[in-house]
Amino acid sequence: MIPRVLKRLTALGAALLVLTLSTTSAAAGLTRAESRLLRDLNKVRAAHGLAPLRYDPRLQRAARAHSHDMLVTQIFQHGSFGARMLRFDVRGTLTGENLAWGNGPFGTASGIVRAWLASPEHRANLLRPGYTRIGIGDLVGAFLGYTGAHVVTADFAG
């Protein structure tokens, strides 16, 4: 009797753990593409002995708004980063931003992370120990003549 109860409790606990892990990003408001990007970024940080970046709802809103603006205006630029951080009430002593866009393999999480790691400035943001929080806006649409393009903003703070 006891082993059967323990098996059920163990199975229930494992199911709850899987459910919790699989819904954490969704509960935090990340899309599947954004969750993959966060996972890949944190794998790189872990490989370099750094703490993982945590989801921040203010940074998330700022990042998504900026990706949306770039899609609407068809302009790929940082714009008024400081003003955007103020508008979304982002706080922290250290803030930064990485942008990317691409389609096909260049629009995947792994493609974006590879591109950022190949750029000294973007790599520095990914591996900055002072960054502890992130918001990611990964929106898909027609961009600069390409359909199905991912337009990505990653806003960091610490």
Side-chain angles (χ1 to χ4, degrees):
M1 172 103 178
I2 292 176
R4 187 179 305 162
V5 171
L6 284 177
K7 284 182 183 178
R8 285 184 187 163
L9 287 176
T10 302
L12 179 61
L16 288 174
L17 178 61
V18 169
L19 180 61
T20 301
L21 292 175
S22 65
T23 60
T24 300
S25 294
L30 295 174
T31 66
R32 182 172 291 175
E34 291 163 348
S35 294
R36 285 183 184 133
L37 188 54
L38 179 57
R39 181 198 65 215
D40 286 1
L41 291 172
N42 280 333
K43 280 183 183 178
V44 169
R45 288 178 61 88
H48 287 84
L50 298 170
L53 296 166
R54 293 183 328 270
Y55 166 87
D56 181 286
R58 290 183 178 130
L59 287 167
Q60 183 70 23
R61 287 190 294 275
R64 280 221 187 111
H66 190 59
S67 289
H68 178 264
D69 288 347
M70 288 191 294
L71 271 171
V72 168
T73 62
Q74 296 290 294
I75 297 173
F76 185 72
Q77 66 181 7
H78 291 280
S80 299
F81 174 72
R84 191 167 1 106
M85 293 299 100
L86 289 173
R87 187 171 101 218
F88 287 93
D89 197 28
V90 172
R91 297 171 190 201
T93 57
L94 185 64
T95 57
E97 180 173 79
N98 281 359
L99 302 178
W101 79 271
N103 62 353
F106 301 106
T108 64
S110 59
I112 290 166
V113 170
R114 270 194 309 274
W116 282 343
L117 288 171
S119 161
E121 296 85 7
H122 295 95
R123 181 184 182 87
N125 275 342
L126 292 181
L127 300 178
R128 182 160 288 149
Y131 288 148
T132 57
R133 298 173 287 133
I134 192 170
I136 300 169
D138 183 340
L139 302 180
V140 179
F143 191 66
L144 301 178
Y146 293 88
T147 60
H150 287 255
V151 177
V152 179
T153 302
D155 287 334
F156 304 90

